[in-house]
Amino acid sequence: MAEEVKLFRTWSSRYSLRIVWALKLKGIEYETIFEDLTNKSPSLLQYNPTHGKVPVLVHDGKPVCESLVILEYVDETWKHNPLLPQDPYEKSMARFWANFGDDKLMKSISQLFIAHEKDQDVAAVAALENLKIVEEQLKGKKFFHGETIGYLDLAFGWIANLVSILEEIMSLKLVDGERFPHLSSWIQHFIDAPVIRDCWPPRDKMIIKYQVMREKYLAAATPK
Amino acid sequence: MGEESKVVLHGMWSSPFVKRVELAMKIKGIPFEYVEEELSNKSPLILKYNPVHKKVPILVHNGKPVCESLLILEYIDETWPSGPQLLPKDPYQRAKVRFWAAYIQQLLTSMARLFNDGKEAQGKALEEVHEKLRNLEDGVKEFYFPEGSISPDHVLAEKLGILDIMMSATLGPFKAHEEAFNVKILDPEKNPLIFSWVQALIQLPVVKQTAPPHDKYLGLLQFLKQSGFKF
């Protein structure tokens, strides 16, 4: 019996990209449903009534929500080409770093992105500190788990794309080759990987989207 | 598994995050040493084992530290597979448990916001907590309590899983929260399922043993509230 796999995503969602990559790595055929989050489909609201967010993976009619939860589901359901380490301790470390990426790192980079010029220096300190922590994790490794792409590369994948976009918009360099040799090298390997390469959202469209977003935040911030 | 196994849990008696891990260890019947830490005066071990967040709980298993309560629960289940299953075996059920465990975590964050807010902001923060409880009630009903109510043999010590653990640790002390902050969090009329679930959980000996003593906990909450502590 053929399996039915659907992925609800948006064109730009970094979280959805994780699942696109995972399904590609596992060689799983699926149908893509692109959502407009300003006008959510009834299906999306039915499959994710709590948050109404993407990505949602629907496997034979059963919805799975939250990108990191979906990654584990994909890995447990299709066991070939494993994404996560088998050893419980290594697995817990992988999950720890994925959480760090989403909670601390992403937040600090977002804060920098929406900071007014006078607050940028302080915001940059936090972002750079967190990036340094990731840099340490990559020492002596091509990808986070070694020679091949795995869970943490997918979890951190957004760095390889979004950071340079934010750098261009803000005219600043966050991840430079001198301060972040391992992270810079990882970015290059990841961007060029065959499975990853063709999935990036159109860069010009991303620049416009994030530029508009930044302007909105800067305009909305209360003047002191 | 677990022949020459040394397990140390670094925690704080009042932390709901630590309570999750304590409960899990007790449910699984894993012997462990407990070290009480003071967060105002962090021991070098905390800084060594959790340099990124400098927080408890930290489970140190044969010298290797595992941090973050939910990750520790998964680690415990994978490392000591015998005894009660904290997570189901089926990948789809596991995904649901993980989703709702994360949601209960968000509920705790909303509760912390409620505790931090002064009288003026409390209305909005309380509404957020109640909304999360409603969502939790609806979401968990279908998946965890298909009969629509708590059956007596559902909430048994041998059958407790991650969601039961999360609920015990997060909402078990709800009476102390309500008294300290003068708010009604858990209403049997608005959340009948969650209310009876929590009531069933807090009767269990293993939950009673692990729960922070009510008066001591209430005293701490009141003290922290006076001193403007940010939860």
Side-chain angles (χ1 to χ4, degrees):
Chain A
M1 191 182 83
E3 279 181 312
E4 192 194 56
V5 182
K6 297 186 189 184
L7 177 64
F8 286 78
R9 59 172 290 201
T10 62
W11 70 271
S12 63
S13 157
R14 70 196 81 152
Y15 303 102
S16 300
L17 264 181
R18 292 171 173 170
I19 316 307
V20 171
W21 293 324
L23 293 173
K24 210 164 169 191
L25 277 165
K26 299 272 190 181
I28 294 157
E29 306 244 322
Y30 64 101
E31 182 195 337
T32 300
I33 293 117
F34 281 101
E35 286 283 331
D36 169 5
L37 294 182
T38 62
N39 185 19
K40 295 175 186 178
S41 74
S43 295
L44 179 63
L45 297 173
Q46 176 205 329
Y47 287 132
N48 192 354
T50 313
H51 301 300
K53 288 182 180 173
V54 292
V56 179
L57 185 81
V58 184
H59 182 202
D60 289 337
K62 297 178 295 188
V64 185
C65 309
E66 296 294 303
S67 63
L68 295 179
V69 174
I70 299 173
L71 284 182
E72 299 230 24
Y73 175 80
V74 168
D75 211 31
E76 288 168 5
T77 303
W78 294 282
K79 296 195 199 310
H80 58 284
N81 299 354
L83 301 171
L84 276 150
Q86 297 302 304
D87 171 68
Y89 183 73
E90 294 303 319
K91 213 184 272 196
S92 73
M93 288 313 297
R95 290 167 176 151
F96 175 89
W97 289 116
N99 287 348
F100 172 79
D102 281 1
D103 300 338
K104 279 203 149 181
L105 177 64
M106 210 186 277
K107 192 170 171 198
S108 61
I109 291 181
S110 301
Q111 298 282 61
L112 173 59
F113 185 58
I114 61 173
H116 281 272
E117 224 176 296
K118 62 179 174 63
D119 302 318
Q120 267 176 27
D121 284 342
V122 172
V125 168
L128 288 168
E129 245 168 47
N130 291 329
L131 283 165
K132 215 41 170 133
I133 294 175
V134 179
E135 168 80 8
E136 291 294 306
Q137 287 308 302
L138 282 166
K139 284 198 170 144
K141 294 188 260 183
K142 183 177 177 188
F143 296 110
F144 281 96
H145 300 284
E147 283 301 303
T148 53
I149 288 178
Y151 172 86
L152 269 182
D153 304 286
L154 304 193
F156 281 109
W158 59 273
I159 296 179
N161 180 237
L162 203 54
V163 167
S164 76
I165 286 170
L166 303 188
E167 285 175 340
E168 188 176 319
I169 294 171
M170 295 182 74
S171 303
L172 56 69
K173 190 76 182 155
L174 206 55
V175 179
D176 68 74
E178 241 182 77
R179 257 193 303 200
F180 298 99
H182 301 98
L183 188 52
S184 302
S185 162
W186 172 81
I187 288 175
Q188 217 40 64
H189 285 131
F190 189 72
I191 286 186
D192 290 340
V195 166
I196 306 297
R197 202 167 43 208
D198 302 320
C199 306
W200 298 114
R203 191 182 172 86
D204 48 354
K205 224 175 148 186
M206 288 286 275
I207 299 259
I208 294 171
K209 176 194 161 101
Y210 280 91
Q211 213 150 31
V212 168
M213 194 191 289
R214 183 163 184 252
E215 275 156 26
K216 264 200 196 135
Y217 270 104
L218 290 175
T222 347
K224 292 213 170 119
Chain B
M1 271 285 138
E3 315 95 357
E4 284 299 329
S5 189
K6 182 167 158 107
V7 188
V8 183
L9 172 62
H10 294 260
M12 263 184 59
W13 69 271
S14 57
S15 160
F17 303 96
V18 172
K19 288 303 165 191
R20 294 167 186 175
V21 179
E22 262 188 79
L23 255 175
M25 295 295 281
K26 292 205 172 125
I27 289 166
K28 282 279 204 184
I30 305 159
F32 66 102
E33 187 191 319
Y34 178 81
V35 174
E36 180 71 25
E37 297 284 351
E38 263 186 56
L39 280 192
S40 52
N41 184 20
K42 291 179 188 180
S43 75
L45 278 181
I46 301 224
L47 304 177
K48 172 183 163 192
Y49 288 138
N50 193 355
V52 173
H53 301 297
K54 309 176 179 63
K55 285 182 177 171
V56 290
I58 304 169
L59 191 80
V60 186
H61 183 204
N62 293 334
K64 293 194 291 192
V66 185
C67 307
E68 292 193 11
S69 59
L70 278 175
L71 302 191
I72 299 173
L73 296 187
E74 295 233 25
Y75 176 81
I76 289 171
D77 208 34
E78 287 160 12
T79 305
W80 291 279
S82 62
Q85 294 292 290
L86 300 183
L87 277 149
K89 288 245 186 300
D90 171 69
Y92 182 61
Q93 298 301 318
R94 287 165 82 81
K96 291 204 111 155
V97 167
R98 286 173 175 141
F99 178 91
W100 288 110
Y103 198 75
I104 296 170
Q105 177 57 40
Q106 286 178 30
L107 169 65
L108 184 61
T109 306
S110 293
M111 283 165 65
R113 265 201 285 276
L114 174 65
F115 301 158
N116 288 337
D117 281 350
K119 286 245 152 52
E120 317 81 53
Q122 250 188 17
K124 190 163 177 243
L126 189 58
E127 178 48 48
E128 199 182 292
V129 169
H130 286 159
E131 191 192 327
K132 292 212 153 72
L133 283 169
R134 270 196 303 274
N135 286 339
L136 185 60
E137 177 109 3
D138 290 340
V140 171
K141 190 180 290 180
E142 200 193 297
F143 142 68
Y144 214 54
F145 301 109
E147 321 88 42
S149 61
I150 316 284
S151 62
D153 61 348
H154 185 111
V155 182
L156 287 178
E158 313 85 71
K159 289 191 177 172
L160 295 181
I162 281 191
L163 295 185
D164 302 287
I165 291 171
M166 294 289 287
M167 289 302 278
S168 302
T170 306
L171 285 172
F174 77 96
K175 289 211 182 84
H177 295 142
E178 289 183 343
E179 215 179 306
F181 299 98
N182 199 25
V183 277
K184 184 107 184 120
I185 295 175
L186 206 51
D187 189 336
E189 274 175 41
K190 291 185 180 162
N191 308 109
L193 193 68
I194 295 189
F195 188 84
S196 45
W197 187 11
V198 172
Q199 291 295 349
L201 286 168
I202 60 181
Q203 309 298 341
L204 293 173
V206 69
V207 174
K208 275 191 194 170
Q209 279 162 33
T210 328
H214 174 87
D215 292 339
K216 192 179 175 192
Y217 190 56
L218 177 59
L220 176 69
L221 290 175
Q222 284 164 333
F223 168 74
L224 291 175
K225 180 181 160 192
Q226 311 287 28
S227 43
F229 177 79
K230 282 300 167 200
F231 288 91

